[in-house]
Amino acid sequence: MAPLRVLCIHGYRQSGGSFREKTGALRKLLKKHVELVYMNAPHCVQQASGEAQEKENGPGGDEDSRGWWFSDVQARSFSAQQQCEESLGLDESVTAVREAVKIQGPFDGILGFSQGAAFVAMLCCLQEQKLEPEFSFRFAIVVAGFRSACEEHNKFYSSPLQIPSLHVFGLEDRVIPDNMSKELLPSFQDPQVLTHPGGHFVPAASAHRQAYQDFLKRFQ
């Protein structure tokens, strides 16, 4: 049985390479069933001194810090909590995913973490509205996801998405608190949920194997 191919969308201030390293335990947990393929966001994130930022990597972030969009258009920075009317860079990120699908696809599913998870919900919406003919994801895994606080993104939440989804979040997450992840659930028709007692990371202990496998075996 060929493994499922899943496109992986990293968090803000990460890169495809760093996300691959941080999800080593998940790759090991699912290796018989799933091939995880990583890509980079198109936007470089400047390291700002002394600025309180969403760090999805602990202190300092990555050498190669990237993001999918900026909530502060002037500062070219992002915070999940920041209310904004318009964002910067989302269209380029959609284009980057379209190219990744063309070149590296096809993919059975898509997995996103934090800002990447919020972005995955948007990509699934574009797919269901038939605005991205290249996309044919059969499922989505949303880790530490949230609903974007940017007004121009409200269009992505107009009706619940039909795509099967697994939503994973930590009850001790200080970057994306669990209530923010719960606010995204109504945007999906029949969301499956996996909670863990930890913080801002992709859980992959043996205790979580069953939940991942039960979700994925529907697509094998």
Side-chain angles (χ1 to χ4, degrees), residues 123-184:
L123 294 169
C124 291
C125 179
L126 292 172
Q127 174 174 306
E128 293 202 4
Q129 291 177 352
K130 304 209 169 5
L131 297 172
E132 289 294 333
E134 298 288 334
F135 296 176
S136 57
F137 303 116
R138 295 160 57 211
F139 61 86
I141 299 176
V142 178
V143 184
F146 57 91
R147 185 182 160 129
S148 171
C150 187
E151 271 179 38
E152 73 173 1
H153 297 163
N154 287 344
K155 62 188 178 190
F156 295 115
Y157 310 110
S158 53
S159 59
L161 301 171
Q162 304 297 313
I163 189 169
S165 59
L166 175 65
H167 299 255
V168 184
F169 49 89
L171 302 177
E172 293 298 317
D173 195 327
R174 299 278 178 263
V175 179
I176 305 295
D178 62 327
N179 64 307
M180 285 182 69
S181 290
K182 287 174 186 159
E183 281 166 11
L184 183 61

Side-chain angles (χ1 to χ4, degrees), residues 7 9 39 68 90-103 105-110 119-139 156 163:
L7 180 61
I9 305 291
M39 67 171 288
W68 301 100
L90 190 69
D91 291 347
E92 292 86 342
S93 291
V94 173
T95 300
V97 174
R98 189 188 307 134
E99 289 303 306
V101 168
K102 270 186 197 166
I103 295 161
F107 294 103
D108 297 287
I110 186 165
F119 185 39
V120 161
M122 299 175 188
L123 294 169
C124 291
C125 179
L126 292 172
Q127 174 174 306
E128 293 202 4
Q129 291 177 352
K130 304 209 169 5
L131 297 172
E132 289 294 333
E134 298 288 334
F135 296 176
S136 57
F137 303 116
R138 295 160 57 211
F139 61 86
F156 295 115
I163 189 169

Side-chain angles (χ1 to χ4, degrees), residues 12-148:
Y12 185 67
R13 293 198 163 278
Q14 292 185 335
S15 66
S18 71
F19 191 42
R20 188 175 192 281
E21 281 174 31
K22 289 185 184 339
T23 51
L26 184 70
R27 283 185 288 122
K28 203 167 167 184
L29 194 73
L30 302 176
K31 67 180 178 204
K32 289 180 185 155
H33 310 285
V34 178
E35 178 196 351
L36 300 177
V37 179
Y38 298 80
M39 67 171 288
N40 280 327
H43 306 293
C44 291
V45 177
Q46 297 305 313
Q47 183 69 53
S49 57
E51 187 183 331
Q53 284 160 329
E54 175 179 349
K55 292 191 173 61
E56 308 205 341
N57 276 322
D62 269 25
E63 292 294 309
D64 184 17
S65 285
R66 292 175 172 271
W68 301 100
W69 76 89
F70 300 110
S71 54
D72 187 323
V73 173
Q74 265 68 47
R76 286 180 69 89
S77 65
F78 171 79
S79 166
Q81 276 90 356
Q82 183 178 10
Q83 306 277 334
C84 61
E85 285 182 20
E86 55 181 8
S87 68
L88 177 70
L90 190 69
D91 291 347
E92 292 86 342
S93 291
V94 173
T95 300
V97 174
R98 189 188 307 134
E99 289 303 306
V101 168
K102 270 186 197 166
I103 295 161
Q104 297 174 274
F107 294 103
D108 297 287
I110 186 165
L111 176 153
F113 173 66
S114 202
Q115 190 195 39
F119 185 39
V120 161
M122 299 175 188
L123 294 169
C124 291
C125 179
L126 292 172
Q127 174 174 306
E128 293 202 4
Q129 291 177 352
K130 304 209 169 5
L131 297 172
E132 289 294 333
E134 298 288 334
F135 296 176
S136 57
F137 303 116
R138 295 160 57 211
F139 61 86
I141 299 176
V142 178
V143 184
F146 57 91
R147 185 182 160 129
S148 171

